[in-house]
Amino acid sequence: MALTSQLRAALVHIHAGSSAAGLRSASSSSPQQQNPALIESTEEFVFVERLIAPSRIPDPPKHAGPAPSGWTPPAETPPPLPYMIRRSRMHNIPVYTDLTHGNRKMTLVRKVEGDIWALEKDVKQFLQELTGKDMPTQVNEVTMTLKIKGHFDQELKSWLSSKGF
Amino acid sequence: SNVCVTEKFIEMFRFSVAVFGRGVAKRFSSSFPAEGALPPNLQLPANLVDPSRLKRPPPPADCPLPLLRRCEAVVPAHLSPMQTWVESLQMEDGEPLGRAELHPDVFGVSPRIDILHDVEKWQRNYKRISYAHTKVRSEVRGGGKKPWRQKGSGRARHGSIRSPLWRGGGVSHGPRGPTSYYYMLPMKVRVQGLKVALSFKMAQDYLHVVDSLHIPTPDSQYLLDLIRRRHWGESVLIVDVAEEFPENILQAASDLKKVNLIPAIGLNVHSMLKHEAVVLTLETLKFLEDKLLWHDQRYTPLYPFKLPYRDFP
C-alpha cells in the first residue's frame, strides 16, 4: 500500500551494530567510521503499523444466538416480508427515541426499504396488542422512516430482532 | 431541434388527452378517443423519433455474453447486483462486448431529489464570494457639517448631506461585502448525492459502461457519429480513473463543447446533471464502488482522513 511504503521510507529503523562497548565517547568521529556494521531493517515496522487506527468497522464475530451483552445478530437470510430494515453501521437495530419540547416523546425507525406501509400496519398492530391503544404514526416515504408517538424503542427492537432483521 | 419540439408536443398532447378524457368521459364518451390514443386528425412528421424504442433494453437474465466484471464488495443479502452492457468505442456501431455487475448500494439507491438539490446548491454556492459593497453614511466623503440651522430656515431639518435620504448619500441597508457564502454539507450527504446521481443516470438509461477509452482516430466527428449512432444523448461526460487519457480521445474531445472528459476523482453532481449521458470505464466502476461504499461502513474520523489510516480506500 502507498501508506506503508511512504512511512517506511520516512521511518527507517536503524539497528546499531552489536559491538562489545555500547558507549561511545563524545569526541568520536562519524558513526560510519566507528561502527561499520550498521544494518537498516524495516521488519520492525509491523509494530508501527499495528498502532495506526483502522477506518472500517469490523464485522462482529459469529454468535449462535444472543451475545452476553444482549446483542442479537441478524438472520442469515432476510425474512420473507415485503419490507427490510437494515442494521446500522455498528450492527444495531435502527430504532431511536426522541424528546422535543421537553414532553414530546417519539420513536423513530430508520433505514427501511421496501413497502413501508406494510411495516406501518404491522407496527400499529403490534402496538395495539401491546398497549391496547391506537398509536399515531407518521410515514415519511422520501426518507423511508417511520415515527411513532411515545417511547417504544426496547419493545420495537426486541420485536424486530425476533422477526430476523 | 425539430425532433425535440415534436416529442414534447406529443407528450403534452398525450397528457392533455388523458386528463381531459377522464373528466369528460362520462358525458361525451362517444366523441373523445380512448385514454392515451392519439386523435385521428393528428399529422405526425415522417422523421419523428420515439426515444423509448431507440435504446437497447437492459440485458436479460439468460444473456449469452460473458460477465466481464463482478462486484468485489459484499452485496446485501436482500439485494442483487444490477447488470449493464459493456460496450467498446473502437467501432462506431459495435455490439456490446459483455455485461458488468453494478453494486445496488451505489447505482440503485432511492431517488432523493432533495439530496441532489442540496448538493447542487452547495456546489454552486460554497465557492461564491459576492464582492458587492456600498458605502454607509459614515463612509461617504463629506457630510460632517450640519447643512443649515435647525430652526427658522423654512427647509426640512437635516444633520448631514450624506444621510440616506439625500441624493449622493450613503446606502442604509446595502450589501456590505465581500460576503462569503461558504458552508459545508456533511460528508455523508455529499457522498449520498453522488450515489443518487449515479442511480438516476442508471435508472434513466443514461449510464454507459465502456471497457476502455481507445478510439481508432483522433477525429471529433468520429465521436459525434458514435454518440449519434448509439443514441447516447446530446451531451456526454466520459469518466476514467487514470489521470492520463489516451491521446486520440483527448484530441477528439478537445474541440467538442458537449463531450467532456474528467478523471474519476473529479466526478461531481453538477457535471452529472449538466451532461445527459455518463460513460464510465470498468476501472472507474471499481474505483467508485470502493470509495463510495467505504462511507457506509467507516468509523467517525478520529483524526482527519488526510492523515494515514490502516485501511483507507
Side-chain angles (χ1 to χ4, degrees), chain B residues 158-185:
Chain B
H158 288 291
S160 100
I161 57 165
R162 300 301 188 202
S163 89
L165 271 54
W166 283 66
R167 173 195 175 273
V171 180
S172 38
H173 294 297
R176 298 291 290 157
T179 8
S180 147
Y181 291 81
Y182 171 81
Y183 68 103
M184 289 308 282
L185 281 179

Side-chain angles (χ1 to χ4, degrees), chain B residues 119-163:
Chain B
V119 176
E120 165 66 33
K121 192 167 72 127
W122 167 78
Q123 262 190 275
R124 273 207 312 266
N125 284 330
Y126 84 101
K127 292 180 250 199
R128 178 179 170 212
I129 302 178
S130 113
Y131 296 99
H133 178 86
T134 52
K135 288 183 163 48
V136 170
R137 62 184 285 174
S138 58
E139 291 167 354
V140 180
R141 182 102 172 160
K145 183 163 175 273
K146 193 166 170 67
W148 46 78
R149 57 181 193 275
Q150 179 80 2
K151 300 187 71 65
S153 64
R155 287 171 287 184
R157 52 190 179 178
H158 288 291
S160 100
I161 57 165
R162 300 301 188 202
S163 89

Side-chain angles (χ1 to χ4, degrees), chain B residues 2-71:
Chain B
N2 292 340
V3 172
C4 300
V5 165
T6 39
E7 273 171 25
K8 281 173 190 151
F9 172 74
I10 299 295
E11 276 170 4
M12 267 167 30
F13 203 90
R14 278 210 192 109
F15 174 71
S16 58
V17 161
V19 163
F20 292 119
R22 233 177 267 139
V24 195
K26 287 176 200 158
R27 284 179 285 153
F28 301 113
S29 50
S30 59
S31 52
F32 272 82
E35 286 177 18
L38 299 175
N41 55 349
L42 178 68
Q43 284 171 346
L44 294 173
N47 60 349
L48 189 62
V49 157
D50 186 9
S52 60
R53 266 182 281 164
L54 284 181
K55 296 197 179 164
R56 196 175 282 121
D62 55 348
C63 185
L65 289 177
L67 198 64
L68 296 175
R69 188 219 170 232
R70 289 195 174 277
C71 276

Side-chain angles (χ1 to χ4, degrees), chain A residues 1 3 7 49-58 76-78 84 86 89-90 111 113 142-144, chain B residues 76-79 105 110 112 114 188 290 294-299 302-303 305 308-313:
Chain A
M1 275 173 38
L3 154 66
L7 287 181
E49 274 181 334
R50 292 195 318 198
L51 298 171
I52 302 172
S55 65
R56 273 171 235 256
I57 295 169
E76 298 298 325
T77 52
M84 169 70 188
R86 285 208 206 186
R89 60 183 64 212
M90 294 292 184
K111 300 195 82 146
E113 288 170 19
V142 176
T143 50
M144 294 299 267
Chain B
H78 64 286
L79 298 168
D105 279 342
S110 61
R112 296 285 303 270
D114 58 324
K188 293 179 196 167
D290 279 342
W294 171 73
H295 287 278
D296 285 339
Q297 38 155 293
R298 66 168 172 89
Y299 283 114
L302 200 60
Y303 45 85
F305 286 122
Y309 275 86
R310 205 187 294 170
D311 46 5
F312 193 77

Side-chain angles (χ1 to χ4, degrees), chain B residues 55 206 208 227-228 230-236 276-277:
Chain B
K55 296 197 179 164
Y206 280 131
H208 302 279
I227 291 165
R228 164 70 62 102
R230 299 188 188 185
H231 303 289
W232 277 358
E234 259 185 72
S235 45
V236 179
E276 214 171 2

